[in-house]
Amino acid sequence: MLKNQLRRDLRWLRRQARTDRRIAALVLVAVPSAWARQLAGSAEPAVPGLLLVLSAALVTMSGAAWLTGAYFLARSARRRREPVETLRLVTRVARAKEWAFASAGAYVAWHVLQFVTALVMG
């Protein structure tokens, strides 16, 4: 009985990890394309020094979070046979998803910063 419950829980965890892996991969693909679109189209006039520093920090944080998320996602690519390895896989996928959303959050913060700056300066 307990063994069946454990197998069922592991199957559920694997399904959840597959869903989370897809979400993390989608976010990790979307963030660089969003950054590229924004940075290619932004020919900002003279930006105050503090704003430039904040923007650079947000871009750097987003890149670092993106790399960390991609690292955890790549580490979770191999199929696991043992239950303990499955739990490691699930935690790596969860971490990849968290870091992917942190990268997206830094992008959103940068976008809001640019919007507020345009409102204040314009």
Side-chain angles (χ1 to χ4, degrees):
M1 171 97 171
L2 182 61
K3 215 173 203 179
N4 289 336
Q5 180 66 32
L6 290 175
R7 282 187 191 142
R8 218 172 326 159
D9 289 346
L10 280 175
R11 270 193 305 252
W12 182 85
L13 284 172
R14 282 188 203 114
R15 278 195 305 270
Q16 187 64 39
R18 278 193 299 269
T19 303
D20 287 349
R21 188 181 305 126
R22 288 183 194 115
I23 292 169
L26 181 67
V27 171
L28 287 174
V29 166
V31 167
S33 62
W35 273 114
R37 193 182 116 246
Q38 282 298 121
L39 293 176
S42 70
E44 294 289 325
V47 178
L50 178 62
L51 227 48
L52 189 61
V53 169
L54 284 174
S55 293
L58 286 171
V59 169
T60 304
M61 288 172 29
S62 179
W66 187 91
L67 286 172
T68 305
Y71 168 77
F72 281 121
L73 198 64
R75 295 272 309 193
S76 70
R78 196 178 59 148
R79 187 167 177 88
R80 313 296 177 173
R81 298 279 184 226
E82 296 291 322
V84 173
E85 291 176 342
T86 300
L87 292 176
R88 284 188 201 131
L89 166 106
V90 170
T91 58
R92 285 184 182 137
V93 169
R95 284 189 217 154
K97 185 177 167 187
E98 289 170 10
W99 282 105
F101 277 107
S103 177
Y107 166 76
V108 169
W110 179 81
H111 198 62
V112 169
L113 177 70
Q114 297 300 317
F115 178 72
V116 169
T117 302
L119 285 177
V120 171
M121 301 282 252

